[in-house]
Amino acid sequence: MGVTDVFYYTLHIRELKSIIQWKTWHNPVHERDLKKETVSLRICFDFLDKTSRSFSAVIQELHPELLVPIALFYLILRGLDTIEDDMTIPLEKKEPLLKEFYKIIEKEGWSFSGNGPDERDRELLVQFHYVTEEYRKIKPVYREIINDVADQMGNGMAEYCRRSAEGRSGVESVKDYDLYCYYVAGLVGNGLTRLFVESGLANPALKERKQLQTSMGLFLQKTNIIRDVKEDWDDKRRFWPREIWSKYVDDFGDLFKPEKKEAALNCISEMVLNSLNHADECLFYLAGLREQSVFNFAAIPQAMAIATLALVFRNPQIYKKNIKITKGEACQIMLDSTQNLQKVCEVFRKFVRQIHRKNTPKDPNFLKISVACGKVEQFIESIFPSQDPEALQRAAETGMPVAKKEDPKVVREREEAKWDTIYMMIAVMGTITVVTIIMLGVAWMMGARWDVAFNELRKGGVNRPGRDSARTIVQKYDRGEL
């Protein structure tokens, strides 16, 4: 943690508190049994840590039945994505690799060293034989699901790579946009759902609700596409659909120009609106997960996504750099998202209301965004009513307004949080005071003359003295001890 971080968290005590709580109080639902793991499986988990620490953490807390299948599922799709993303691989080599990847993962000893030297996950493919070795050991029903998803995803990616190479924009219409997001993320939601249900850790009815499965993936992917617009543009890639951005500017690059700021902000609004339309279906999906570790695995990314959506909404910074929620905010979201559905709904309500507050009548999407926010809140209200039905009935009979009664547990938690914050502030200020005293003491032991400093301060000598003034001060206070 650098000096900037220390200063930031001194001013944001609640975030510091969340980090400490997550680090010290979070207990994994399940833990890996390293004694039972082969060398090749441990290498796979090492690659999981390197490719995505956030996903790796939640995967490694999964139920033992799904731990290895989902870890390998993630690494296989990451390998596929690494080939698709690498612009140094020519199309004639890339296309067959993508289309045949579902067959490749069945081959013993397969690896690939054809990625460019700067490709971030190049080493995963260089040592991919460890992944395929472990993949062949999991249950046939899980292999069938992973293989099917890799087949569909590889063919979808190959189609978009060909269109891009032929000079055709890969994402013209909103329909194209949805299809692209389905291939790279919606299929992941479908595959994970099948794994959850086959393992007996989710409601079997989820398997029939394809729209809910797809929304889980699309909500994450669309949010990431909005956030990463500057990074993608720098890499000469564009995923925002022309059907949306062409309403605001003539050329996509105009969105990054300061003189087009208002149009660019309105464009962000419509992109956020497109993503927000999946939010209520994500909450509906989460209600069907039975086991706590599976719930945590699915809920944390969704909660992070709604927080990110609130951050990027009408935020001009996304055209300048890649922005993210702070570590303190992320820890608080994870604390809330690893409890139950009601807590996750509270997270969604909080950030949906942030979007609603940032919404402005000047935005041509103002009404639609208001409706989308209201739709999420209405869904939450339908499963967790904030009013007591009996109180509503009495109010209807007597004509008296309903006094909203807060949950005693919520009141108690809020009071505890307030005192926790006060104690945290005292601890931080106490630590700063002790460190300051120690630093001053060490300086004194090394020969610092505090009497000189105090005398000069009393005389108003705050500024740095010149060379002659400094010599005069030294001569005045030199007692000849040295």
Side-chain angles (χ1 to χ4, degrees), residues 318-329:
I318 71 167
Y319 294 117
K320 300 175 183 178
K321 60 183 180 179
N322 186 286
I323 60 175
K324 296 182 178 181
I325 57 178
T326 65
K327 185 176 181 180
E329 288 174 323

PDB file of all heavy atoms in Angstrom, residues 318-329:
ATOM      1  N   ILE A 318     -14.624   7.410 -18.670  1.00  0.00           N
ATOM      2  CA  ILE A 318     -14.433   6.136 -19.388  1.00  0.00           C
ATOM      3  C   ILE A 318     -13.845   6.358 -20.778  1.00  0.00           C
ATOM      4  O   ILE A 318     -13.305   5.434 -21.379  1.00  0.00           O
ATOM      5  CB  ILE A 318     -15.738   5.321 -19.496  1.00  0.00           C
ATOM      6  CG1 ILE A 318     -16.745   5.955 -20.464  1.00  0.00           C
ATOM      7  CG2 ILE A 318     -16.366   5.094 -18.146  1.00  0.00           C
ATOM      8  CD1 ILE A 318     -17.891   5.034 -20.822  1.00  0.00           C
ATOM      9  N   TYR A 319     -13.943   7.592 -21.292  1.00  0.00           N
ATOM     10  CA  TYR A 319     -13.354   7.898 -22.600  1.00  0.00           C
ATOM     11  C   TYR A 319     -11.883   8.296 -22.481  1.00  0.00           C
ATOM     12  O   TYR A 319     -11.209   8.521 -23.477  1.00  0.00           O
ATOM     13  CB  TYR A 319     -14.125   9.023 -23.286  1.00  0.00           C
ATOM     14  CG  TYR A 319     -15.549   8.646 -23.651  1.00  0.00           C
ATOM     15  CD1 TYR A 319     -16.632   9.314 -23.077  1.00  0.00           C
ATOM     16  CD2 TYR A 319     -15.810   7.636 -24.562  1.00  0.00           C
ATOM     17  CE1 TYR A 319     -17.947   8.984 -23.422  1.00  0.00           C
ATOM     18  CE2 TYR A 319     -17.105   7.295 -24.902  1.00  0.00           C
ATOM     19  CZ  TYR A 319     -18.167   7.974 -24.335  1.00  0.00           C
ATOM     20  OH  TYR A 319     -19.459   7.634 -24.675  1.00  0.00           O
ATOM     21  N   LYS A 320     -11.405   8.382 -21.235  1.00  0.00           N
ATOM     22  CA  LYS A 320     -10.013   8.777 -20.996  1.00  0.00           C
ATOM     23  C   LYS A 320      -9.160   7.633 -20.454  1.00  0.00           C
ATOM     24  O   LYS A 320      -7.963   7.563 -20.726  1.00  0.00           O
ATOM     25  CB  LYS A 320      -9.968   9.957 -20.013  1.00  0.00           C
ATOM     26  CG  LYS A 320     -10.706  11.194 -20.499  1.00  0.00           C
ATOM     27  CD  LYS A 320     -10.720  12.273 -19.430  1.00  0.00           C
ATOM     28  CE  LYS A 320     -11.520  13.487 -19.876  1.00  0.00           C
ATOM     29  NZ  LYS A 320     -11.580  14.529 -18.823  1.00  0.00           N
ATOM     30  N   LYS A 321      -9.795   6.753 -19.661  1.00  0.00           N
ATOM     31  CA  LYS A 321      -9.034   5.665 -19.045  1.00  0.00           C
ATOM     32  C   LYS A 321      -9.992   4.572 -18.582  1.00  0.00           C
ATOM     33  O   LYS A 321     -11.215   4.770 -18.554  1.00  0.00           O
ATOM     34  CB  LYS A 321      -8.233   6.181 -17.838  1.00  0.00           C
ATOM     35  CG  LYS A 321      -9.109   6.777 -16.754  1.00  0.00           C
ATOM     36  CD  LYS A 321      -8.289   7.340 -15.602  1.00  0.00           C
ATOM     37  CE  LYS A 321      -9.184   7.933 -14.514  1.00  0.00           C
ATOM     38  NZ  LYS A 321      -8.418   8.463 -13.383  1.00  0.00           N
ATOM     39  N   ASN A 322      -9.420   3.435 -18.224  1.00  0.00           N
ATOM     40  CA  ASN A 322     -10.215   2.334 -17.693  1.00  0.00           C
ATOM     41  C   ASN A 322     -10.457   2.596 -16.207  1.00  0.00           C
ATOM     42  O   ASN A 322      -9.515   2.706 -15.430  1.00  0.00           O
ATOM     43  CB  ASN A 322      -9.455   1.014 -17.886  1.00  0.00           C
ATOM     44  CG  ASN A 322     -10.286  -0.189 -17.498  1.00  0.00           C
ATOM     45  OD1 ASN A 322     -10.501  -0.449 -16.327  1.00  0.00           O
ATOM     46  ND2 ASN A 322     -10.733  -0.936 -18.479  1.00  0.00           N
ATOM     47  N   ILE A 323     -11.733   2.739 -15.816  1.00  0.00           N
ATOM     48  CA  ILE A 323     -12.034   3.041 -14.421  1.00  0.00           C
ATOM     49  C   ILE A 323     -12.651   1.825 -13.731  1.00  0.00           C
ATOM     50  O   ILE A 323     -13.320   1.009 -14.376  1.00  0.00           O
ATOM     51  CB  ILE A 323     -12.976   4.257 -14.296  1.00  0.00           C
ATOM     52  CG1 ILE A 323     -14.311   3.999 -15.014  1.00  0.00           C
ATOM     53  CG2 ILE A 323     -12.307   5.502 -14.834  1.00  0.00           C
ATOM     54  CD1 ILE A 323     -15.323   5.111 -14.831  1.00  0.00           C
ATOM     55  N   LYS A 324     -12.414   1.709 -12.434  1.00  0.00           N
ATOM     56  CA  LYS A 324     -12.924   0.572 -11.667  1.00  0.00           C
ATOM     57  C   LYS A 324     -13.397   1.047 -10.307  1.00  0.00           C
ATOM     58  O   LYS A 324     -12.963   2.091  -9.811  1.00  0.00           O
ATOM     59  CB  LYS A 324     -11.830  -0.494 -11.486  1.00  0.00           C
ATOM     60  CG  LYS A 324     -11.357  -1.147 -12.779  1.00  0.00           C
ATOM     61  CD  LYS A 324     -10.319  -2.214 -12.497  1.00  0.00           C
ATOM     62  CE  LYS A 324      -9.863  -2.910 -13.773  1.00  0.00           C
ATOM     63  NZ  LYS A 324      -8.859  -3.965 -13.508  1.00  0.00           N
ATOM     64  N   ILE A 325     -14.276   0.260  -9.689  1.00  0.00           N
ATOM     65  CA  ILE A 325     -14.665   0.552  -8.323  1.00  0.00           C
ATOM     66  C   ILE A 325     -13.464   0.329  -7.421  1.00  0.00           C
ATOM     67  O   ILE A 325     -12.564  -0.453  -7.742  1.00  0.00           O
ATOM     68  CB  ILE A 325     -15.861  -0.326  -7.877  1.00  0.00           C
ATOM     69  CG1 ILE A 325     -15.530  -1.812  -8.025  1.00  0.00           C
ATOM     70  CG2 ILE A 325     -17.109   0.021  -8.645  1.00  0.00           C
ATOM     71  CD1 ILE A 325     -16.627  -2.737  -7.558  1.00  0.00           C
ATOM     72  N   THR A 326     -13.418   1.017  -6.289  1.00  0.00           N
ATOM     73  CA  THR A 326     -12.258   0.920  -5.401  1.00  0.00           C
ATOM     74  C   THR A 326     -12.228  -0.430  -4.691  1.00  0.00           C
ATOM     75  O   THR A 326     -13.242  -1.131  -4.616  1.00  0.00           O
ATOM     76  CB  THR A 326     -12.284   2.037  -4.344  1.00  0.00           C
ATOM     77  OG1 THR A 326     -13.425   1.840  -3.484  1.00  0.00           O
ATOM     78  CG2 THR A 326     -12.375   3.407  -4.995  1.00  0.00           C
ATOM     79  N   LYS A 327     -11.066  -0.748  -4.147  1.00  0.00           N
ATOM     80  CA  LYS A 327     -10.912  -2.020  -3.442  1.00  0.00           C
ATOM     81  C   LYS A 327     -11.814  -2.077  -2.216  1.00  0.00           C
ATOM     82  O   LYS A 327     -12.400  -3.116  -1.895  1.00  0.00           O
ATOM     83  CB  LYS A 327      -9.449  -2.201  -3.026  1.00  0.00           C
ATOM     84  CG  LYS A 327      -9.161  -3.558  -2.400  1.00  0.00           C
ATOM     85  CD  LYS A 327      -7.676  -3.723  -2.103  1.00  0.00           C
ATOM     86  CE  LYS A 327      -7.393  -5.097  -1.496  1.00  0.00           C
ATOM     87  NZ  LYS A 327      -5.943  -5.278  -1.193  1.00  0.00           N
ATOM     88  N   GLY A 328     -11.955  -0.935  -1.532  1.00  0.00           N
ATOM     89  CA  GLY A 328     -12.830  -0.885  -0.357  1.00  0.00           C
ATOM     90  C   GLY A 328     -14.283  -1.146  -0.718  1.00  0.00           C
ATOM     91  O   GLY A 328     -14.992  -1.887  -0.020  1.00  0.00           O
ATOM     92  N   GLU A 329     -14.747  -0.539  -1.818  1.00  0.00           N
ATOM     93  CA  GLU A 329     -16.118  -0.768  -2.278  1.00  0.00           C
ATOM     94  C   GLU A 329     -16.307  -2.237  -2.670  1.00  0.00           C
ATOM     95  O   GLU A 329     -17.344  -2.842  -2.373  1.00  0.00           O
ATOM     96  CB  GLU A 329     -16.426   0.136  -3.472  1.00  0.00           C
ATOM     97  CG  GLU A 329     -16.578   1.601  -3.122  1.00  0.00           C
ATOM     98  CD  GLU A 329     -16.750   2.474  -4.352  1.00  0.00           C
ATOM     99  OE1 GLU A 329     -16.115   2.186  -5.382  1.00  0.00           O
ATOM    100  OE2 GLU A 329     -17.513   3.447  -4.283  1.00  0.00           O
TER     101      GLU A 329
END
